[in-house]
Amino acid sequence: MAYEGILLGMGNPLLDISLVVDEEFLKKYDIKLNNAILAEEKHLPMYQEMASKPNVEYIAGGATQNSIKVAQWMLQIPGATGYIGCIGKDKFGEEMKKNSKAAGVNVQYLEDETAPTGTCAVCVVGGERSLIANLSAANCYKSEHLKKPENWALVEKAKYFYIAGFFLTVSPESIQLVAEHAAAKSKVFSMNLSAPFICEFFKDAQEKALPYMDFVFGNETEARTFSKVHGWETDDVAEIALKISQWPKASGTYKRTTVITQGADPVIVAEDGKVKQFPVILLPKEKLVDTNGAGDAFVGGFLSQLVQGKSIEDCVRAGCYASNVIIQRSGCTYPEKPEFK
């Protein structure tokens, strides 16, 4: 089968600890909605507090892993996707393995003896989410694991790669290895801006990987932060998407495509000097459960069509379909079969 191992993701596998909270809770831990940050000292008691609540949910997550699982679900071809990252040797790690295997993803985790499996607090207010990641074991990924023949074989086999920007904080050298391989072999390499803090505080690592990116994903807040950090003096998302798409490339095989989502507003796609906008599927407010995983699901849906050689229009349509499904459920979860046509 031609699709086996066609798409490979690499990132931070995290267990989502999801809880509907209130404004008071956000204030207490100094958290902003629609943001994603790394946990600081002040956030650590929050995980215990969330775990003690009766309505807390545990869902296997991590941005890249979510996207890969959604792509796998949309494709419905066992083993079409693979994923690499680091977990701990613990109960959460075992859960993660079980969950990913059940999803049909070929996972190759590095298992760290010293750190616990990473967690991500998902605080939900009025359907909007804020993410606070405590990377733990996810932060221990080493490129030595990637270089092992059995793992590098996944890289050799894949034709498409996706890595969330969050992984830039963990193993830029692993990203570089895959990016250079993709460029040398005319494969498709894609990344995500992922969060304002990545664009701000990991600017150098992001800029080093950018020339290799054939597809750049992100949302409007991240795009505007990217613009600000690079002194572009524009808040116009279409203009920013275009500028990102025109950033110099390491390989001339593909022109870069920038895909920016804007919540309920149209998806912006910039490629070849032109910008297109695609409306999303609107959802009545009462059907919204939470936006956790919406952006990840969009990328997963998009990639599921891209690997089949479909048009950008079809890729965006699939992305919108997948995110519409995910926001009507808790976390990045989905029904047994997709109904995408």
Side-chain angles (χ1 to χ4, degrees):
M1 156 211 117
Y3 287 113
E4 198 187 331
I6 195 166
L7 172 63
L8 180 63
M10 195 161 60
N12 302 334
L14 304 173
L15 189 76
D16 284 354
I17 303 173
S18 184
L19 184 69
V20 174
V21 298
D22 52 19
E23 293 290 344
E24 194 101 333
F25 187 93
L26 299 182
K27 253 205 235 63
K28 177 177 175 182
Y29 291 109
D30 190 22
I31 321 171
K32 288 200 287 283
L33 274 183
N34 289 319
N35 200 9
I37 59 172
L38 294 177
E40 296 168 41
E41 206 61 44
K42 65 183 176 191
H43 298 120
L44 297 179
M46 177 183 68
Y47 294 87
Q48 289 311 114
E49 185 177 336
M50 290 174 79
S52 71
K53 301 284 193 236
N55 52 339
V56 67
E57 291 184 272
Y58 295 91
I59 306 156
T64 309
Q65 186 161 246
N66 284 344
S67 297
I68 294 296
K69 282 201 317 211
V70 169
Q72 178 61 50
W73 170 68
M74 291 282 287
L75 282 163
Q76 292 286 310
I77 304 164
T81 63
Y83 175 79
I84 290 172
C86 186
I87 58 175
K89 272 192 179 316
D90 53 19
K91 189 175 90 196
F92 284 170
E94 285 307 312
E95 276 298 302
M96 194 86 80
K97 277 197 282 201
K98 216 167 66 190
N99 180 286
S100 305
K101 288 208 171 86
V105 179
N106 177 16
V107 290
Q108 293 295 336
Y109 293 126
L110 168 62
E111 293 184 39
D112 191 85
E113 303 279 351
T114 54
T117 296
T119 49
C120 183
V122 181
C123 304
V124 180
V125 177
E128 303 293 338
R129 59 86 177 132
S130 188
L131 308 175
I132 306 92
N134 186 6
L135 297 181
S136 298
N139 204 28
C140 301
Y141 190 79
K142 301 285 180 286
S143 58
E144 289 73 49
H145 177 260
L146 180 64
K147 290 175 190 162
K148 285 186 171 165
E150 64 272 27
N151 299 325
W152 190 254
L154 296 185
V155 177
E156 292 279 358
K157 189 160 205 179
K159 304 265 191 302
Y160 295 81
F161 301 98
Y162 175 67
I163 303 173
F166 295 120
F167 202 55
L168 287 164
T169 76
V170 173
S171 187
E173 58 281 9
S174 298
I175 295 175
Q176 201 64 22
L177 284 169
V178 172
E180 287 173 4
H181 167 86
K185 304 277 195 219
S186 298
K187 295 177 175 184
V188 177
F189 182 77
S190 50
M191 285 192 73
N192 203 309
L193 300 177
S194 287
F197 87 87
I198 297 287
C199 303
E200 287 178 289
F201 306 116
F202 293 87
K203 175 174 178 265
D204 295 350
Q206 193 176 51
E207 281 183 11
K208 196 175 171 203
L210 192 54
Y212 295 94
M213 297 180 205
D214 299 305
F215 285 83
V216 176
F217 296 95
N219 67 24
E220 74 280 41
T221 319
E222 295 149 11
R224 290 190 174 117
T225 305
F226 189 94
S227 171
K228 194 176 86 197
V229 166
H230 290 88
W232 288 350
E233 293 181 0
T234 177
D235 258 354
D236 182 313
V237 178
E239 194 185 334
I240 298 164
L242 199 55
K243 282 175 102 86
I244 293 173
S245 73
Q246 289 163 341
W247 193 284
K249 283 198 86 233
S251 144
T253 311
Y254 310 102
K255 292 191 168 82
R256 180 179 303 110
T257 305
T258 310
V259 186
I260 305 293
T261 58
Q262 312 186 86
D265 293 327
V267 176
I268 290 178
V269 177
E271 58 174 349
D272 213 2
K274 294 187 280 293
V275 176
K276 286 186 185 152
Q277 302 208 10
F278 299 91
V280 303
I281 309 160
L282 293 175
L283 188 73
K285 188 82 176 133
E286 64 274 11
K287 282 191 156 178
L288 173 69
V289 174
D290 70 52
T291 56
N292 180 24
D296 302 335
F298 175 86
V299 173
F302 188 102
L303 293 172
S304 74
Q305 304 307 297
L306 188 70
V307 304
Q308 299 180 68
K310 300 282 173 70
S311 69
I312 292 294
E313 285 75 6
D314 282 344
C315 293
V316 172
R317 215 163 50 80
C320 292
Y321 165 76
S323 54
N324 183 267
V325 168
I326 264 75
I327 61 177
Q328 297 182 62
R329 304 167 67 91
S330 184
C332 197
T333 60
Y334 37 79
E336 195 188 340
K337 292 260 194 297
E339 287 172 14
F340 178 72
K341 297 287 178 285

